[in-house]
Amino acid sequence: MTNLVLFLVLAVVAVVTALGMLLSRNAVYAALFLVLNFATVAVFYILLEAPFIAMTQVTVYAGAIMVLFLFVIMLLGAERLPGTEPLPWQRPLAIFLALVLAVEAGYLLFARRAAGGMFASAAPDFGSPQAIGTMLFNRYLLPFEVTSVLLLVAMVGAIVLTKKEKGGRE
Amino acid sequence: MVPVTYYVALSAVLFVIGVLGVLLRRNALIIFMSVELMLNSANLVFVAFARLFEGLAGQVFVFFVMTVAAAEVAVGLALIVAIFRSKRSVDVDQMSSLKG
């Protein structure tokens, strides 16, 4: 029962912060709403007995990624841009398409019963950092190493893309 | 306990809000944040089903998704900074020419 109340309150917070991100005119407010949303999702991860993923969520998403976002927003001074005139049919069409997607998801969930079932009580070390680490370094060692190469490529790419060109054009 | 359907429904709502953000907003930074929101809602379903089926593979996959998202954000924001240098704008309507 407490779990259900906790879930409902957090779900409302998550949806409201997502809508706040969608609707706020100022990009800094949008980023801060998104930080709150990520923090809420981290609490969901703890409820789902994934403490390691929850901590990763806070450090990587709410920490690193959103700080990068805020840094770029403030670097560009892009927090309050004059909006261009929207295409006349863009807004209704976007809302219609999103509604179609929502109805489709609702149909699959509730009419077809595509996903169901209750959670059984989990093993005591389920989702612990130790269990995740053992799995990561045994069964998923190759993807893990590929990830490190990916991060290196992304780092080099970001530096090359933002480097000031020296000497004239190009 | 909360049924897994609730988590899937919440994740679907968050995903639809993310789609709406990509379709409605024209600030490239907000579009990026909406993409992050969609990735996050997919992660939530992964963790919920990992809990349901008591397998850790779902959580490991979320870990990889987060890594890829971090790399994607680094490159994407670098691209936005590079575009801002030449166009003085992050409005996606302005990014209509292939030549820089």
Side-chain angles (χ1 to χ4, degrees):
Chain A
M1 195 58 208
T2 23
N3 262 353
L4 186 63
V5 173
L6 197 56
F7 175 86
L8 289 177
V9 171
L10 284 172
V12 168
V13 173
V15 170
V16 167
T17 49
L19 283 173
M21 193 248 354
L22 174 65
L23 297 175
S24 60
R25 295 282 108 192
N26 191 324
V28 176
Y29 291 164
L32 292 177
F33 271 124
L34 200 57
V35 170
L36 188 52
N37 186 285
F38 286 163
T40 323
V41 173
V43 181
F44 279 127
Y45 290 160
I46 292 176
L47 282 181
L48 289 167
E49 293 181 46
F52 175 71
I53 295 296
M55 290 306 118
T56 322
Q57 168 90 359
V58 170
T59 50
V60 175
Y61 260 120
I65 291 183
M66 291 322 289
V67 165
L68 199 59
F69 261 108
L70 282 172
F71 180 76
V72 168
I73 290 169
M74 289 171 183
L75 177 77
L76 301 184
E79 63 263 24
R80 213 177 247 291
L81 286 172
T84 46
E85 207 48 41
L87 301 171
W89 42 264
Q90 188 193 2
R91 190 153 295 183
L93 184 67
I95 291 172
F96 172 73
L97 287 176
L99 264 180
V100 168
L101 183 63
V103 168
E104 219 173 312
Y107 174 72
L108 281 177
L109 259 178
F110 294 109
R112 296 272 303 275
R113 290 252 159 238
M118 300 287 281
F119 298 119
S121 59
D125 69 333
F126 180 77
S128 68
Q130 193 184 0
I132 300 262
T134 311
M135 196 145 180
L136 204 56
F137 290 116
N138 287 315
R139 224 177 127 191
Y140 294 95
L141 185 61
L142 181 66
F144 184 78
E145 296 296 338
V146 171
T147 306
S148 65
V149 176
L150 175 75
L151 283 176
L152 180 68
V153 171
M155 200 162 69
V156 173
I159 292 170
V160 168
L161 279 171
T162 50
K163 187 167 61 86
K164 284 249 198 298
E165 265 82 5
K166 286 196 208 90
R169 42 172 289 115
E170 269 307 304
Chain B
M1 273 314 260
V2 185
V4 69
T5 319
Y6 288 16
Y7 280 102
V8 182
L10 171 68
S11 159
V13 170
L14 290 180
F15 192 90
V16 168
I17 293 174
V19 169
L20 210 49
V22 170
L23 291 178
L24 278 179
R25 303 299 301 264
R26 280 178 308 285
N27 186 337
L29 287 161
I30 307 264
I31 291 180
F32 242 103
M33 288 184 211
S34 303
V35 172
E36 294 304 313
L37 186 66
M38 286 194 271
L39 283 170
N40 223 46
S41 70
N43 281 352
L44 185 60
V45 171
F46 262 123
V47 173
F49 279 114
R51 175 76 180 76
L52 181 69
F53 296 115
E54 307 231 2
L56 277 180
Q59 294 192 12
V60 174
F61 211 94
V62 168
F63 180 77
F64 286 129
V65 170
M66 279 179 186
T67 326
V68 174
E72 175 235 339
V73 163
V75 175
L77 287 179
L79 277 173
I80 289 178
V81 169
I83 289 169
F84 187 83
R85 282 222 181 105
S86 66
K87 299 262 185 208
R88 313 306 301 167
S89 163
V90 291
D91 195 316
V92 286
D93 280 354
Q94 308 287 320
M95 305 174 193
S96 50
S97 64
L98 285 175
K99 194 163 171 288

